[in-house]
Amino acid sequence: MRGAEGGGMALWRGLRCCRRAFAWLPVLLIALLLLWSYYGYVCELCLVTVSNPVEKVAYLVVFHILFVLFVWTYWKSVFTLPIQPGKKFHMSYADQERYENEERPEVQRQILAEIARKLPVYTRTGNGGIRFCDRCQLIKPDRCHHCSVCAMCVLKMDHHCPWVNNCIGFSNYKFFLLFLAYSLLYCLYIAATVFKYFIKYWTGELTNGRSKFHILFLLFVAIMFFVSLMFLFGYHCWLVSRNRSTLEAFSAPVFQNGPDKNGFNLGFVKNLQQVFGEEKKLWLLPIASSQGDGHFFPMRALSEARNPLLTNEEQWEEDGIDEEPQGSGEASSLAIERET
């Protein structure tokens, strides 16, 4: 029996390691494409195909600036670890034991309310419950969600991106936006400068076969990625202008008066400052400058979203939000958000 259990654990660990290894394949693919684009542009276009020395130097200078910005922002997006909620949001051992030993949902709810009374949390679950993660054993800060891939709660989680093999959240959302912007410019610049020589190869004015292959595919890949990145970057620009995350765009955050998709919308300028910071000279650099620490975010109407966990929890019951049919079971009335 023990041998079978040990074999099962070994198999599970092996599958987990394989899953982690496969998760890096998209990152490896982008790295290889980036290296090939560097070789194709610098060696095959600038050094072999372009004959005008002034044009050659100009192409190389601008290309290397965009290349460095691309690599820098991508590196920061991949290797900047997502931030978990601070210790004050985690349950103490005594509270955790008291909560788990309690079988009555209404008492469990009171325990969570007592813990949350000391915390700056203003959002709830869809039916008025306290946003609690039973996996991480913590009260979720506003805009925090549990990532099943990373197996952790992430502050201001936007989404889990397979192309960077990382969770995009408070710690690296600025870097992710800059990565999209600079990769868009990188593709646009390559397509714009390569197009002239693509036409020359197409019309037979140039005949170098090997360079022709690289230039053809440089143009094709650059246009393909430019189109896809344009839509993705445009969507995230719209999200930033409204101060929403991807998750909030699909499911509006819930406040005291119910769901409000514009609950964190402070106006266009302040929304930008919340992501990029107040120092405009740092906006275009992959340097951390976002406002706050990811645990609390200003709201559009704080007076309408006064902490429901402190003062107005009974209001939900008066409004009938917490009322559930008896046949639905007591567990559903607890209204704990387990995972997003």
Side-chain angles (χ1 to χ4, degrees), residues 87-102 107-108 110-119 132 137-139:
K87 291 184 179 180
K88 67 179 182 179
F89 289 89
H90 288 75
M91 270 190 171
S92 65
Y93 178 77
D95 289 332
Q96 184 177 345
E97 191 175 41
R98 184 161 62 105
Y99 176 80
E100 292 178 349
N101 291 335
E102 181 56 59
V107 178
Q108 287 184 320
Q110 292 176 4
I111 294 173
L112 293 179
E114 291 175 5
I115 300 171
R117 193 167 281 124
K118 307 172 185 177
L119 302 173
F132 173 73
Q137 293 294 301
L138 57 81
I139 303 294

Side-chain angles (χ1 to χ4, degrees), residues 52-206:
N52 188 322
V54 176
E55 186 178 15
K56 182 181 298 187
V57 171
Y59 280 5
L60 286 173
V61 169
V62 177
F63 174 82
H64 280 91
I65 292 174
L66 292 175
F67 181 83
V68 169
L69 290 172
F70 186 122
V71 173
W72 191 5
T73 53
Y74 187 62
W75 178 274
K76 297 285 282 188
S77 299
V78 173
F79 294 105
T80 299
L81 297 178
I83 302 178
Q84 295 179 276
K87 291 184 179 180
K88 67 179 182 179
F89 289 89
H90 288 75
M91 270 190 171
S92 65
Y93 178 77
D95 289 332
Q96 184 177 345
E97 191 175 41
R98 184 161 62 105
Y99 176 80
E100 292 178 349
N101 291 335
E102 181 56 59
E103 297 181 356
R104 293 169 295 178
E106 64 275 7
V107 178
Q108 287 184 320
R109 186 184 180 106
Q110 292 176 4
I111 294 173
L112 293 179
E114 291 175 5
I115 300 171
R117 193 167 281 124
K118 307 172 185 177
L119 302 173
V121 286
Y122 294 86
T123 54
R124 300 186 177 190
T125 58
N127 52 1
I130 299 168
R131 299 180 67 244
F132 173 73
C133 180
D134 63 339
R135 295 188 178 185
C136 300
Q137 293 294 301
L138 57 81
I139 303 294
K140 293 182 181 180
D142 295 342
R143 315 185 82 174
C144 173
H145 298 275
H146 185 90
C147 176
S148 58
V149 179
C150 297
M152 59 184 287
C153 284
V154 179
L155 292 179
K156 196 189 177 184
M157 179 178 172
D158 188 88
H159 68 286
H160 185 91
C161 180
W163 294 105
V164 300
N165 190 29
N166 199 2
C167 246
I168 305 302
F170 174 78
S171 62
N172 60 355
Y173 188 58
K174 176 189 174 183
F175 306 146
F176 179 74
L177 287 175
L178 291 179
F179 159 63
L180 292 180
Y182 289 130
S183 58
L184 193 68
L185 290 176
Y186 183 77
C187 293
L188 178 62
Y189 180 76
I190 289 178
T193 53
V194 163
F195 183 74
K196 179 174 69 173
Y197 295 94
F198 168 78
I199 296 298
K200 289 184 177 181
Y201 278 118
W202 186 267
T203 57
E205 186 176 344
L206 296 174

